[in-house]
Amino acid sequence: METEGTYDVQAIRAQFPILSRKVKGKDLVYLDNAATAQKPVAVIDALVHYYSHYNANIHRGLHTLADEATATYEASRAAVMHFVGASSTDEIIFTKGTTESINLVANAWGKSFLQEGDEIIITSLEHHANIVPWQMVAAEKKAILRVIPIDDNGILDMEAFKSMLGPKTKFVSVVHVSNALGIINPVEEIIRLAHEYNAVVLVDGAQSSVHLDIDVQTLGCDFYVFSGHKIYGPTGVGVLYGRRDLLESMPPYQGGGEMIKEVRFEHTTYNELPFKFEAGTPNIADVIALKAGIDFINTIGKAVIRKHEETLLEYATAKLKNIKGLRIIGDVKNKVSVISFVVDGVHPQDLAILLDNQGIAVRTGHHCTQPLMHRLGIVGTTRASFAAYNTIEEIDVLVEALNKSLKMLL
Ligand code: C6P
């Protein structure tokens, strides 16, 4: 692609079987990557290979299949450790996804350490997964949930944040990259400021893990959470990175097999990290296949993918701005390849149906950020989000389809 330098987008696309399918008789244009990314053949093969060759439970059996499954599962944990720059595999807990990782921390940390009148701070940009668990634990512990405001462009009001911090601040839980708008929040500064008050900080990396280089030690966060399915891995698997001393101080989230050292009817002792937080048979196949997703990203290089996505973002932003009545929400400099927009007089759902008829997948609605939509005074947006395999030509298809659809709707 001459517009994209040496980036061989066609070779990348060839790794994704789904991209060659048709939708409503048209070539699929998949621009809903912030919801879930498509899977390269290596991820699909890893699942098939596990089930066809060494399906066994892990950490239990003493037979060959069990050994192979355990070693491959733990190799995935090591890959995740490198992916986020953690210093030990003990700090990497496998969960179902971002949602479960946040619920784990809200329950295990929150219920142990929060007291009446303590404050938890989140932002106006949060996904429901980083709001509701904190509301639930706050109600139970009589703690107070406070929200950092934003301006009309979605930029956090850092002065307001500074004024909220105090001795009652116990936990700060912030989204790294807004899923609805694509805005990158200044999490380094948030972490530094929160730590001045000894508050614990969780970073919701559901949208940042795929686009930005993540080093939890440089960031200095206490917890970092993300989902496998957004980084080209399978659904049903997610990650909780936690600082060792914090994880050690927390009680288990769930009880059951594998998370114990010794069980008596009178008393149970718990297993070492990370197993203390992985009760029951885990999602072995998807954890194993997650490594193939990480390998896919590492083979190309996150920075290389990001550069490609920035080219797409710039091109799409310029093209969309030419459409009469279209307004980009969160049109700021510091963002990832997500464009959210509204068109005067058009309901996002009507637009989505017309785009789908032309083979284009975008997400419309509130993006599980109802309070954000409420703050911005809109019912929802249409969101196009780009990944490693998207092309300039696909953006041209989107723009043409948008123009055609808007002619019908307005
Ligand atoms: N956002 C989107 O279309 P789960 O569902 O557990 O994998 O991820 C939840 C989640 C938490 N935080 C952020 C910032 C997210 O973006 C998401 C998932 C998808 O925007 C599906 S709602």
Side-chain angles (χ1 to χ4, degrees):
M1 311 242 350
E2 78 280 10
T3 45
E4 293 170 54
T6 54
Y7 190 87
D8 193 351
V9 74
Q10 292 308 332
I12 292 168
R13 290 180 71 79
Q15 295 180 50
F16 290 79
I18 206 168
L19 295 180
S20 54
R21 73 160 281 181
K22 303 262 182 210
V23 169
K24 310 267 165 75
K26 303 268 174 25
D27 288 338
L28 166 67
V29 174
Y30 187 78
L31 303 176
D32 195 15
N33 295 286
T36 197
Q38 296 303 343
K39 318 305 171 201
V41 75
V43 168
I44 301 163
D45 283 354
L47 292 169
V48 173
H49 188 66
Y50 165 72
Y51 284 124
S52 329
H53 290 273
Y54 59 103
N55 172 48
N57 214 324
I58 55 165
H59 300 136
R60 290 161 169 84
L62 278 178
H63 55 80
T64 300
L65 266 55
D67 283 349
E68 286 176 14
T70 302
T72 317
Y73 181 92
E74 289 305 324
S76 201
R77 199 189 303 276
V80 170
M81 176 189 80
H82 292 299
F83 188 68
V84 298
S87 60
S88 163
T89 48
D90 293 353
E91 297 180 318
I92 304 298
I93 317 290
F94 286 118
T95 64
K96 276 197 317 210
T98 305
T99 303
E100 191 178 49
S101 298
I102 297 173
N103 275 277
L104 190 162
V105 176
N107 280 275
W109 189 93
K111 287 185 184 167
S112 303
F113 298 111
L114 285 173
Q115 289 178 353
E116 188 169 343
D118 282 347
E119 295 182 0
I120 305 158
I121 300 180
I122 59 172
T123 79
S124 302
L125 294 154
E126 300 309 323
H127 185 279
H128 297 163
N130 201 26
I131 302 173
V132 186
W134 297 112
Q135 285 175 328
M136 290 161 79
V137 73
E140 195 175 318
K141 304 297 292 187
K142 297 196 171 66
I144 296 154
L145 190 63
R146 304 192 64 186
V147 185
I148 311 174
I150 48 169
D151 69 13
D152 291 343
N153 290 317
I155 302 280
L156 282 181
D157 182 342
M158 290 298 283
E159 290 311 311
F161 174 52
K162 285 178 199 160
S163 70
M164 281 178 185
L165 288 164
K168 286 195 178 304
T169 312
K170 290 288 150 36
F171 205 98
V172 178
S173 201
V174 289
V175 68
H176 196 173
V177 168
S178 157
N179 67 313
L181 309 181
I183 294 175
I184 304 172
N185 284 325
V187 287
E188 292 88 342
E189 198 189 342
I190 292 172
I191 294 163
R192 188 180 56 73
L193 290 165
H195 281 172
E196 283 177 13
Y197 292 85
N198 295 321
V200 176
V201 185
L202 180 146
V203 175
D204 174 351
Q207 300 292 339
S208 60
S209 45
V210 69
H211 298 293
L212 310 181
D213 274 326
I214 302 300
D215 187 314
V216 289
Q217 297 184 71
T218 310
L219 276 178
C221 57
D222 302 298
F223 297 105
Y224 181 87
V225 299
F226 65 99
S227 301
H229 68 96
K230 295 193 202 278
I231 65 159
Y232 307 99
T235 51
V237 57
V239 171
L240 162 65
Y241 154 80
R243 240 179 52 207
R244 179 193 290 274
D245 58 323
L246 281 169
L247 291 175
E248 273 168 354
S249 71
M250 288 155 54
Y253 175 46
Q254 292 180 326
E258 264 313 286
M259 51 70 73
I260 51 87
K261 202 172 257 166
E262 216 168 56
V263 180
R264 297 288 177 271
F265 284 121
E266 300 73 29
H267 178 68
T268 290
T269 50
Y270 303 131
N271 206 340
E272 308 289 325
L273 291 176
F275 311 111
K276 182 171 106 177
F277 291 104
E278 292 180 7
T281 300
N283 186 349
I284 304 167
D286 292 317
V287 166
I288 286 172
L290 176 61
K291 181 174 179 301
I294 291 176
D295 290 346
F296 165 78
I297 293 174
N298 289 342
T299 303
I300 307 170
K302 240 190 212 179
V304 174
I305 297 175
R306 175 117 195 257
K307 197 159 170 276
H308 170 71
E309 290 171 344
E310 271 170 0
T311 307
L312 299 176
L313 178 66
E314 257 174 54
Y315 184 81
T317 304
K319 288 270 172 182
L320 291 186
K321 278 184 177 171
N322 280 336
I323 297 178
K324 204 167 149 260
L326 185 149
R327 184 160 55 93
I328 295 176
I329 310 291
D331 185 19
V332 302
K333 226 171 154 257
N334 208 16
K335 63 185 286 197
V336 303
S337 50
V338 170
I339 305 187
S340 238
F341 58 89
V342 293
V343 185
D344 297 337
V346 173
H347 197 287
Q349 260 163 25
D350 296 335
L351 194 53
I353 293 165
L354 292 179
L355 291 177
D356 181 57
N357 282 339
Q358 296 164 81
I360 300 168
V362 291
R363 184 169 173 187
T364 52
H366 55 64
H367 313 295
C368 301
T369 56
Q370 283 181 4
L372 172 63
M373 297 296 128
H374 191 246
R375 159 63 184 85
L376 295 170
I378 51 181
V379 288
T381 72
T382 301
R383 182 186 71 183
S385 47
F386 312 120
Y389 40 69
N390 289 122
T391 65
I392 292 283
E393 286 81 354
E394 286 181 309
I395 293 169
D396 288 337
V397 173
L398 170 70
V399 172
E400 204 185 310
L402 269 173
N403 280 322
K404 200 167 140 194
S405 308
L406 293 176
K407 255 191 212 133
M408 292 166 79
L409 290 170
L410 289 169

